[in-house]
């Protein structure tokens, strides 16, 4: 099929490459010419494992092209994906102007009947609203707006898009649903679960999925606070809970909490949507509150360990919103860095991929090119993201270069016994701290 993709961000670019890989003829469009030029030259605008190779091979195969011209996307397309940004307004509501503009440009330039796919995360009701809005533009052909929410995770975008667990498509038109089923026929034949609903249900299911995952994380973080008070171990609590298949172990990792451009923004938009519909979804406010407290709790651990934060050198391992990405948008690590800096600490960070983005986002943040450079002379180190290399830290070497051997583990990456054996005061999240300062009171009990 002939497919257009508008917007080559974290969703659009993997979507375009994977649809080309499925054998479709794909034209991807972005209004940012510099971004397009660098993609065509093989330079990806963000880090995503496997993406550079896939984009290159699909371009070489002639199935993937890039353009800045929306008419070139619309011409001859059977399906056009709208993957533009939907940034939050001050109220938390999603700003859908770019969605309307992209849709209008497609219907005005289409040369055949076309399915417009909402791929950006949008509030329930958007497809209906967009359909109404687009009817005012000069469409020469029939068009349908369908919702096909994205479930890919950054850092795993290519694998998630190549082998999705589920493909959810919502539309009120059987003709449009059939076209979407044909588009994904190869993946459906390979076992992806095809779910067909009306359009509002698909939109709500996307919000519900992200809100539920955020809620699991906040539940784990609330348990972490409780475990710290009770002297229990949140990792073991999560293992015990997660071994029940009705609960599941994933997304029960306590730590600095969730960040990124999806969960915080989606949760705010979902709460606002519920309010507009007349339902007070107070649970979502509580999820956010617990998430905010997760960063504060980590900050307090550092403050408590340092006693006087002023002029202390604090090393942050991990600056992206999670491991596996260079994305620092709404990163809990940067939020922690801001708080530490406000209290006079000297903050130096290192991330395997996100150094540049972090430096751009947070003025005055010192960046080290490697882990041990960050730890050099540090009075305390905080593990902020779950990059595997932080779990494989050479504790002997780290102890050798740090000024004070104090580790705060905001992602529970290290083995407490190993940290203790290496001579560290080790302060994890929701598990008992170990080390000289923590053993003493126990000895006197
Ligand atoms: C999330 C969803 O997982 C995807 O299914 C969805 O498609 C995407 O949002 C979206 O709506 O676009 P993503 O934001 O890439 O994907 O990242 P996740 O892997 O879900 O992690 C989100 C945050 O939660 C990260 O900050 C991560 O560190 C944190 N997290 C995750 C925890 O604190 N604990 C956990 O147990 C799991």
């Amino acid at each position: 099929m002939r497919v257009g993709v508008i917007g080559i961000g974290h969703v659009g670019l993997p979507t375009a490459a994977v649809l080309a890989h499925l054998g479709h003829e794909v034209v991807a469009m972005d209004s940012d010419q510099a971004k397009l030029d660098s993609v065509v030259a093989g330079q990806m605008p963000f880090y995503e494992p496997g993406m550079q190779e896939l984009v290159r091979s699909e371009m070489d195969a002639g199935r993937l092209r890039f353009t800045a011209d929306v008419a070139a996307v619309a011409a001859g397309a059977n399906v056009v994906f709208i993957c533009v940004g939907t940034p939050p307004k001050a109220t938390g509501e999603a700003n859908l102007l770019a969605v309307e503009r992209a849709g209008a440009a497609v219907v005005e330039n289409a040369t055949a009947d076309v399915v417009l796919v909402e791929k950006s995360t949008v509030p329930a009701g958007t497809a209906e609203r967009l359909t109404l809005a687009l009817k005012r533009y000069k469409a020469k052909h029939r068009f349908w707006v369908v919702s096909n929410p994205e479930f890919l995770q950054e850092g795993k975008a290519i694998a998630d898009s190549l082998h999705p667990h589920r493909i959810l498509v919502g539309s009120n038109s059987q003709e449009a649903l059939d076209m979407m089923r044909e588009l994904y026929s190869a993946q459906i034949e390979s076992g992806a679960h095809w779910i067909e609903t009306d359009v509002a249900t698909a939109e709500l299911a996307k919000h519900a999925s992200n809100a539920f995952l955020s809620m699991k994380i906040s539940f784990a973080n609330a348990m972490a606070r409780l475990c710290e008070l009770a002297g229990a171990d949140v990792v073991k609590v999560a293992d015990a809970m997660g071994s029940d298949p009705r609960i599941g172990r994933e997304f029960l990792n306590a730590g600095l909490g969730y960040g990124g451009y999806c969960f915080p923004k989606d949760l705010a938009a979902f709460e606002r949507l519920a309010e507009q519909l007349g339902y007070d979804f107070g649970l979502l406010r509580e999820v956010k509150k617990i998430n905010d407290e997760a960063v504060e709790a980590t900050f307090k651990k550092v403050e408590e360990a340092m006693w006087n934060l002023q002029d202390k050198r604090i090393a942050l391992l991990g600056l992206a919103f999670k491991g596996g990405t260079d994305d620092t948008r709404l990163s809990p690590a940067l939020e922690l860095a801001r708080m530490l800096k406000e209290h006079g600490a000297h903050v130096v960070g290192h991330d395997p991929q996100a150094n540049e983005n972090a430096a751009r986002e947070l003025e005055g943040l010192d960046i080290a090119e490697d882990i041990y450079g960050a730890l050099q002379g540090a009075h305390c180190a905080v593990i902020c993201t779950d990059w595997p290399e932080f779990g494989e830290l050479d504790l002997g070497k780290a102890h050798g270069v740090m000024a004070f051997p104090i580790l705060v583990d905001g992602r529970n990456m290290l083995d407490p016994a190993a940290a203790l054996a290496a001579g560290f005061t080790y302060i994890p999240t929701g598990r008992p701290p170990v080390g000289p300062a923590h053993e003493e009171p126990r000895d006197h009990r």
Side-chain angles (χ1 to χ4, degrees), residues 96-416:
L96 301 170
L97 178 61
V99 172
E100 179 180 350
R101 283 191 179 147
V106 174
V107 298
E108 288 190 332
N109 290 287
T111 58
D113 291 348
V114 64
V115 176
L116 278 163
V117 186
E118 252 178 26
K119 200 73 171 164
S120 308
T121 302
V122 288
T126 301
E128 200 182 333
R129 196 68 195 78
L130 182 62
T131 305
L132 275 178
L134 295 184
K135 282 186 177 158
R136 299 190 194 120
Y137 291 86
K138 294 183 185 64
K140 294 181 208 78
H141 297 273
R142 293 187 304 161
F143 69 88
W144 303 269
V145 179
V146 311
S147 166
N148 172 209
E150 185 50 73
F151 297 112
L152 65 80
Q153 281 174 273
E154 285 182 30
K156 298 184 194 159
I158 298 299
D160 285 352
S161 311
L162 282 174
H163 313 286
H165 298 130
R166 62 198 191 282
I167 299 169
L168 170 62
V169 179
S171 172
N172 301 335
S173 149
Q174 194 55 48
E175 212 171 336
L177 286 169
D178 291 346
M179 279 169 80
M180 292 301 288
R181 202 186 171 106
E182 188 190 333
L183 184 81
Y184 287 120
S185 56
Q187 291 181 321
I188 298 167
E189 276 159 29
S190 317
H193 183 195
W194 169 258
I195 308 169
E196 211 174 272
T197 66
D198 62 85
V199 75
T201 300
E203 289 172 331
L204 265 185
K206 167 66 187 181
H207 271 310
S209 299
N210 275 3
F212 194 85
L213 290 171
S214 314
M215 182 184 74
K216 275 189 94 174
I217 298 168
S218 280
F219 191 91
N221 280 321
M223 284 307 304
R225 301 291 82 77
L226 211 52
C227 286
E228 282 164 7
L229 295 169
D233 185 335
V234 78
V235 176
K236 291 182 180 148
V237 169
D239 289 344
M241 287 171 66
S243 68
D244 181 338
R246 292 173 303 173
I247 298 175
R249 178 64 179 84
E250 283 191 73
F251 282 70
L252 280 181
N253 293 321
L256 273 174
Y258 61 78
Y261 210 55
C262 300
F263 286 175
K265 174 172 91 84
D266 282 9
L267 213 70
F270 197 19
E271 197 205 324
R272 180 91 179 107
L273 170 76
E275 189 187 313
Q276 282 169 343
L277 291 171
Y279 179 69
D280 180 22
F281 209 154
L283 177 63
L284 301 185
R285 282 195 294 283
E286 204 55 34
V287 167
K288 181 186 181 311
K289 178 173 159 271
I290 295 168
N291 196 55
D292 292 344
E293 285 164 3
V295 179
E296 280 158 34
T298 310
F299 169 77
K300 287 209 178 90
K301 287 184 180 126
V302 180
E303 192 182 39
E304 167 68 22
M306 292 293 93
W307 186 33
N308 294 303
L309 256 179
Q310 180 82 35
D311 296 334
K312 293 286 188 334
R313 182 179 163 102
I314 313 294
L316 301 188
L317 300 185
L319 300 168
F321 80 96
K322 63 171 186 175
T325 176
D326 63 356
D327 194 345
T328 51
R329 291 175 297 174
L330 302 179
S331 164
L334 293 189
E335 185 51 34
L336 177 65
R338 272 184 206 102
M339 291 169 88
L340 291 166
K341 280 165 60 54
E342 271 165 28
H343 284 76
H346 173 198
V347 184
V348 54
H350 169 74
D351 189 286
Q353 290 291 338
N355 282 343
E356 266 178 46
N357 286 343
R360 212 173 299 129
E361 201 160 311
L362 185 58
E363 209 181 310
L365 172 70
D366 268 4
I367 298 290
E369 285 314 312
D370 65 63
I371 296 178
Y372 302 95
L375 296 179
Q376 184 72 45
H379 298 98
C380 174
V382 188
I383 298 182
C384 296
T385 67
D386 54 355
W387 279 100
E389 36 272 75
F390 300 147
E392 290 152 15
L393 198 66
D394 179 338
L395 289 167
K397 190 170 171 187
H399 192 284
V401 298
M402 287 179 72
F404 298 168
I406 301 174
L407 270 171
V408 172
D409 195 343
R411 296 288 174 188
N412 290 332
M413 297 289 285
L414 297 175
D415 172 19

Side-chain angles (χ1 to χ4, degrees), residues 20 55 59 261:
V55 167
M59 283 174 70
Y261 210 55

